[in-house]
Amino acid sequence: MSWKIITSLLDIFIITFIIYYLLNIISGTRAVQLIKGLGLIFLVALFSQLLELNTVNWFLDSFLTIIMVALPIVFQPELRRALEQIGRGGFLKEQFWQNWGPKEINEIVLAIAEMSEQKIGALIVVSRRVGLKNYIETGIQLEAKISKQLLYSIFQHESPLHDGALIIENAKIKAASCFLNLSTRSDINPRLGTRHRAAIGITEDSDALALVVSEETGVISVAEEGQLSRHLDKSELREKLSHIFARSKEKSFMRRHF
Ligand SMILES: Nc1ncnc2c1ncn2[C@@H]1O[C@H](COP(=O)(O)OP(=O)(O)OP(=O)(O)O)[C@@H](O)[C@H]1O
């Protein structure tokens, strides 16, 4: 095979990968409708060029120029998320799991299970490699050890900190009552309210995990990478948390030794 063919194949492979990656990032967002709309306008523009419909051509050309200028403004949140996702791609290798152990996981699981039984609404965000400083700053800052009792008491209705999200970073409770960006995805179950949307939102903005207890039903859910797994029981939650930290430890070990 000649060098030229190899570089052409590489070229095609890279472009296919980039398109696949971009489609993955925008799937389920309002940008999908926009892409469909733009595709349609490009098709009409192509036909009008072939048929030499000059006025239509002129109109579509001017329209597309305006759209291109307006795009970054209208889709600023989506663009920011996409760039954050690209930047996340594994370059920040902070050993976020270092202070985590079975004890911390156990305390969280017990607190969530108890709140689920008593239908106490809760939203707990567990950060991983991506720091959540900008979200921590929106709440009341704490620097507390993880304990079932503390988590449980923060989310009691009488507690001034119960509203909003609690953020755990490096196995420490960093803040409570934090405000998160809500996911703008259009394919989220409409019966889920803002607590679940906020949980999904933070996992789109970062690689954090978000644990939710529904106040209405007591259902336990976990959001990861923009996907919500619902109806988890105590052991499934424990397994999920343990698995995530074990996986991170393994990956970090591989990086250091191979
Ligand atoms: N942007 C946000 N950031 C953090 N927490 C939020 C945010 N929006 C709402 N919440 C939390 O969610 C609570 C409201 O939950 P809501 O009933 O709207 O959601 P839900 O998904 O239906 O949850 P539930 O099943 O518990 O009712 C608020 O009281 C607040 O604690």
Side-chain angles (χ1 to χ4, degrees):
M1 222 189 303
S2 79
W3 180 243
K4 185 110 187 75
I5 296 177
I6 294 175
T7 52
S8 303
L9 283 177
L10 188 68
D11 214 20
I12 294 170
F13 176 76
I14 291 172
I15 286 296
T16 313
F17 178 77
I18 290 175
I19 293 175
Y20 171 77
Y21 192 75
L22 289 178
L23 285 178
N24 249 346
I25 288 178
I26 63 162
S27 76
T29 69
R30 61 197 175 126
V32 175
Q33 270 77 28
L34 176 103
I35 302 274
K36 281 186 194 163
L38 279 180
L40 196 68
I41 294 175
F42 272 119
L43 269 182
V44 176
L46 197 74
F47 275 114
S48 69
Q49 231 168 31
L50 285 176
L51 300 175
E52 294 182 7
L53 306 175
N54 293 334
T55 320
V56 176
N57 228 344
W58 167 82
F59 176 77
L60 289 180
D61 264 0
S62 323
F63 185 63
L64 281 175
T65 312
I66 296 169
I67 294 271
M68 289 304 168
V69 175
L71 268 186
I73 302 164
V74 178
F75 284 91
Q76 187 260 339
E78 280 79 4
L79 284 173
R80 203 197 64 221
R81 276 178 199 172
L83 289 174
E84 276 173 2
Q85 279 199 24
I86 292 166
R88 219 184 289 158
F91 299 113
L92 304 164
K93 294 188 176 82
E94 202 181 307
Q95 292 176 356
F96 66 91
W97 46 263
Q98 245 173 5
N99 301 322
W100 282 95
K103 182 171 182 305
E104 284 71 25
I105 292 174
N106 193 40
E107 296 289 311
I108 295 176
V109 171
L110 292 179
I112 295 259
E114 180 104 23
M115 292 191 280
S116 158
E117 251 167 51
Q118 299 184 19
K119 295 193 180 163
I120 296 170
L123 172 52
I124 299 179
V125 176
V126 181
S127 99
R128 291 197 269 179
R129 279 177 300 172
V130 177
L132 300 177
K133 192 160 175 273
N134 49 333
Y135 295 102
I136 289 172
E137 282 169 355
T138 64
I140 306 296
Q141 293 178 40
L142 307 162
E143 185 67 42
K145 250 175 93 171
I146 299 171
S147 76
K148 173 194 157 191
Q149 289 84 351
L150 184 56
L151 292 173
Y152 179 78
S153 50
I154 284 176
F155 285 108
Q156 295 302 307
H157 246 291
E158 302 74 41
S159 158
L161 301 182
H162 83 276
D163 218 5
L166 178 141
I167 299 184
I168 297 180
E169 211 166 62
N170 261 329
K172 278 266 160 65
I173 301 176
K174 288 282 181 184
S177 213
C178 301
F179 184 80
L180 311 179
N181 295 332
L182 303 184
S183 171
T184 53
R185 288 236 315 260
S186 51
D187 59 346
I188 297 174
N189 182 344
R191 275 186 298 177
L192 298 174
T194 49
R195 198 190 311 272
H196 292 84
R197 268 194 182 268
I200 296 171
I202 187 76
T203 66
E204 289 168 345
D205 279 355
S206 71
D207 64 347
L209 274 192
L211 320 176
V212 189
V213 179
S214 164
E215 188 171 16
E216 214 176 299
T217 58
V219 166
I220 302 173
S221 309
V222 175
E224 186 185 10
E225 293 181 353
Q227 300 301 321
L228 193 71
S229 313
R230 302 200 66 219
H231 300 282
L232 269 71
D233 63 23
K234 203 166 149 180
S235 57
E236 285 168 333
L237 177 65
R238 188 187 303 280
E239 202 173 299
K240 204 161 181 72
L241 283 171
S242 311
H243 179 68
I244 279 159
F245 287 103
R247 210 171 59 197
S248 307
K249 281 186 190 188
E250 252 169 48
K251 272 190 192 165
S252 183
F253 178 85
M254 300 284 276
R255 279 194 207 113
R256 276 183 287 128
H257 293 88
F258 299 100

